[in-house]
């Protein structure tokens, strides 16, 4: 009945743990030659650890048994591929997996996973489908993964007076990094996405230096930058020997330092970032899909649900019974909802009066915000062969569930509250002049 590939044609021992994000884990095929699995990577969904003994699947991502493909595949084909050029997208293929096979893989690879990731989730062994895609870290290449995050400053139109000055001065990523205590005192040296997205050589170089420095100082555990050489994740430490594979790949002589490797690394990656139009496309998608900011979306929601006061006037322990949280009552969009939404976005978004949003468009703005979040959270993979030009792909283009809206609304308020008290707000420079 189905012609799906079956992962059980391979042994779990033939799959090597590569990396993971919040919602998925990636493995590379390392087994004997196989026409369907050579040079392929397996992407598995994670289940969140809600308590020490209980794993739960995110409801919106739970697959119906009869569903012939992972929702991620339909989402990429019907939504993402209509706004991102095909050259940046990997072909995704559904593959059948089994409970026993996944459990064996999990048992074999669990100890390779970072401790902090293990505390939050694990392979969802109840899935029956997974995604097979091209392995971007195999062979004689080095691969750079950058998670660029938010590449725009919001329009002040719908911001409250006391948040507008903060949000239009410091970008969302820098505010969030500050509240998480990630930034040290030397804020000016830290990574700002607006530099990476700027298209200006000096600023892009500065962003790469900042990403590199954070990569070194966190032993490669910061998730904004990952480097893989010939299938292995490079984990830097204080010793230059830790990055010997990268130095060799970059053609450096035996005598090298962290700084000479950094410079060689930046020399390889900088031209790719300056030449590609991908960052401009991503920034444009992020901002045009989020024209109101979460504050404006919250105000629109409150107008449509008059029993609810805008969030900023509520007490910190909000949650009065009569106040439906942002997005509550809305179902997770189906693929048909997404197709309909995208038709309107492509035809009308640029002509809509976002300064005066219509309550009738509330669902449109909610879906737009969700899709914006997909592009705010994706990663870019630069695959750089020893003797040729690199290729660029976008990965981690996940569907965001609708119940995230209320979490993002709360998080936004918390971040801005903390950041208002920053002793020295960072002056992030808007993207624009470089394009
Ligand atoms: Zn910034």
């Amino acid at each position: 009945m189905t012609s799906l590939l079956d992962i059980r044609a391979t042994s779990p021992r033939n799959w090597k743990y590569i990396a993971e994000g919040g919602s998925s884990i990636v493995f590379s095929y390392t087994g004997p030659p196989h026409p369907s699995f050579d040079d392929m990577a397996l992407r598995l969904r994670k289940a969140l650890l809600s308590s020490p003994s209980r794993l739960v699947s995110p409801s919106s991502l739970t697959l119906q048994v009869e569903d012939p493909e992972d929702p991620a595949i339909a989402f990429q084909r019907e939504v993402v591929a209509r706004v991102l050029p095909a050259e940046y997208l990997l072909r995704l293929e559904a593959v059948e997996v089994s409970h026993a096979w996944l459990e064996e893989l999990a048992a074999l690879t669990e100890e390779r996973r970072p401790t902090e990731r293990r505390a939050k989730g694990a392979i969802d062994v109840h899935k029956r489908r997974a995604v097979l895609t091209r392995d971007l870290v195999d062979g004689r290449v080095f691969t750079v993964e950058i998670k660029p995050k938010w590449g725009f400053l919001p329009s002040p139109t719908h911001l409250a007076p006391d948040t507008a000055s903060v949000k239009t001065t410091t970008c969302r990523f820098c505010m969030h990094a500050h509240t998480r205590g990630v930034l040290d005192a030397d804020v000016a040296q830290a990574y700002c996405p607006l530099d990476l997205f700027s298209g200006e050589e000096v600023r892009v170089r500065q962003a790469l230096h900042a990403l590199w420095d954070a990569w070194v100082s966190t032993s490669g555990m910061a998730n904004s930058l990952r480097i893989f050489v010939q299938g292995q994740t490079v984990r830097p430490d204080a010793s230059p020997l830790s990055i010997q594979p990268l130095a060799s790949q970059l053609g450096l002589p035996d005598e090298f330092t962290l700084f000479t490797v950094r410079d060689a690394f930046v020399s390889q990656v900088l031209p790719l970032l300056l030449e590609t139009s991908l960052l401009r496309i991503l920034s444009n998608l992020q901002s045009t899909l989020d024209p109101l900011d979460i504050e404006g979306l919250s105000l629109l929601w409150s107008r449509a649900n008059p029993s609810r006061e805008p969030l900023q006037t509520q007490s910190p322990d909000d949650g009065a019974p009569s106040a439906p949280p942002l997005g509550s009552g809305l179902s997770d969009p189906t693929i048909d909802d997404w197709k309909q939404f995208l038709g309107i976005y492509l035809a009308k978004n640029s002509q809509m009066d976002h300064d005066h949003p219509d309550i009738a468009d509330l669902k449109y703005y909610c879906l737009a915000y969700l899709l914006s979040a997909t592009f705010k959270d994706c990663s870019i993979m630069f695959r750089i062969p020893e003797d040729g030009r690199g290729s660029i792909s976008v990965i981690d283009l996940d569907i965001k569930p609708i119940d995230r809206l209320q979490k993002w609304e709360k998080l936004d308020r918390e971040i801005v509250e903390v950041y208002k008290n920053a002793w020295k707000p960072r002056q992030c420079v808007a993207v624009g002049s470089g394009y």
Side-chain angles (χ1 to χ4, degrees):
M1 179 178 157
T2 172
S3 59
L4 276 187
L5 276 171
D6 191 330
I7 203 71
R8 287 168 293 189
T10 68
S11 161
R13 293 183 183 282
N14 296 148
W15 293 90
K16 182 175 71 173
Y17 173 85
I18 292 296
E20 65 188 280
S23 61
S24 59
I25 308 186
V26 180
F27 297 84
S28 281
Y29 181 68
T30 59
H34 191 293
S36 298
F37 298 107
D38 287 345
D39 305 322
M40 299 301 274
L42 178 67
R43 189 169 183 229
L44 298 175
R45 287 281 160 201
K46 285 165 72 169
L48 309 176
L49 200 61
S50 64
S51 67
S53 61
R54 186 158 176 270
L55 285 166
V56 291
S57 303
S59 59
S60 66
L61 301 174
T62 301
L63 189 65
Q64 300 300 309
V65 172
E66 66 274 19
D67 195 333
E69 63 182 1
D70 188 298
I73 296 177
F75 185 68
Q76 171 150 321
R77 183 183 61 234
E78 303 292 348
V79 182
V80 173
R82 291 179 66 189
V83 291
L84 265 189
E87 65 182 289
Y88 301 121
L89 295 175
L90 297 174
R91 201 167 79 83
L92 306 179
E93 191 173 352
V95 60
E96 195 168 350
V97 293
S98 76
H99 186 88
W101 194 94
L102 291 174
E103 286 210 315
E104 190 179 344
L105 179 70
L108 287 167
T109 54
E110 189 64 8
E111 66 181 27
R112 301 202 56 143
R113 301 180 53 220
T115 311
E116 66 278 11
R117 292 286 189 189
R118 291 170 68 176
K120 290 182 185 167
I123 292 174
D124 187 344
V125 296
H126 300 292
K127 293 289 185 195
R128 290 293 168 269
R129 301 279 186 274
V131 174
L132 206 59
T133 189
R134 181 180 168 207
D135 187 355
L136 294 170
V137 305
D138 71 317
R140 300 190 63 75
V141 297
F142 90 93
T143 305
V144 177
E145 176 179 351
I146 295 176
K147 196 180 262 300
K149 304 299 281 188
W150 298 40
F152 69 104
L153 289 172
S155 153
T157 308
H158 301 292
L159 304 182
D162 64 332
T163 63
S165 62
V166 179
K167 283 185 169 179
T168 55
T169 303
T170 309
C171 81
R172 171 61 159 64
F173 178 87
C174 288
M175 284 195 292
H176 197 189
H178 173 89
T179 61
R180 286 179 306 177
V182 172
L183 296 189
D184 55 23
D186 198 359
V187 170
Q189 297 300 313
Y191 170 66
C192 173
L194 303 188
D195 291 335
L196 191 81
F197 279 98
S198 71
E200 297 171 41
E201 182 171 347
V202 171
R203 293 179 65 191
V204 178
R205 184 186 298 276
Q206 183 177 322
L208 283 173
H209 280 184
L211 286 170
W212 173 278
D213 292 345
W215 180 72
V216 171
S217 67
T218 62
S219 299
M221 299 308 285
N223 77 348
S224 294
L225 175 67
R226 289 186 180 127
I227 299 174
F228 309 88
V229 173
Q230 296 181 22
Q232 302 290 333
T233 308
V234 182
R235 297 229 179 273
D237 57 32
S239 160
L241 277 179
S242 62
I243 53 170
Q244 169 82 56
L246 179 58
S248 301
Q249 189 76 25
L250 291 166
L252 291 174
D254 290 343
E255 295 291 315
F256 60 86
T257 66
L258 281 172
F259 289 106
T260 56
V261 180
R262 181 181 80 169
D263 289 346
F265 165 80
V266 171
S267 301
Q268 282 269 1
V269 179
L270 182 65
L272 296 173
L273 280 166
L274 293 175
E275 284 165 19
T276 182
S277 54
L278 176 60
L279 288 165
R280 178 178 52 75
I281 294 169
L282 282 178
S283 170
N284 186 54
L285 285 168
Q286 291 176 4
S287 59
T288 57
L289 287 162
D290 177 12
L292 308 183
D293 189 84
I294 193 85
E295 279 188 52
L297 185 60
S298 180
L299 288 168
L300 186 64
W301 180 265
S302 298
R303 278 172 48 210
N305 296 273
S307 62
R308 178 177 189 263
E309 293 299 312
L311 194 59
Q312 54 264 42
T313 65
Q314 293 179 10
S315 61
D317 58 343
D318 55 82
S322 63
L326 177 57
S328 61
L330 294 180
S331 315
D332 275 310
T334 63
I335 287 298
D336 282 341
D337 290 333
W338 280 118
K339 284 159 81 169
Q340 189 177 24
F341 161 80
L342 213 55
I344 300 171
Y345 169 76
L346 292 171
K348 284 196 350 193
N349 190 69
S350 58
Q351 288 111 50
M352 287 169 73
D353 182 2
H354 300 304
D355 288 349
H356 305 93
D358 192 325
I359 288 175
D361 294 326
L362 179 63
K363 185 180 173 188
Y364 173 86
Y365 282 111
C366 288
L367 264 64
Y369 197 89
L370 286 187
L371 187 55
S372 174
T374 294
F375 294 115
K376 291 164 181 164
D377 205 28
C378 65
S379 286
I380 303 175
M381 302 290 278
F382 299 90
R383 192 169 185 270
I384 305 168
E386 269 182 339
D387 56 349
R389 289 178 57 79
S391 65
I392 305 178
S393 314
V394 185
I395 63 164
D396 291 351
L397 291 155
D398 294 312
I399 314 169
K400 304 296 182 187
I402 199 101
D403 64 6
R404 293 276 174 87
L405 286 176
Q406 57 183 288
K407 293 178 185 161
W408 289 326
E409 179 189 47
K410 187 162 174 281
L411 180 64
D412 175 76
R413 191 180 44 153
E414 289 168 357
I415 288 172
V416 176
E417 275 308 310
V418 171
Y419 203 76
K420 273 191 217 165
N421 299 316
W423 67 276
K424 188 182 172 194
R426 182 170 187 172
Q427 306 272 329
C428 299
V429 181
V431 172
S433 59
Y435 289 129

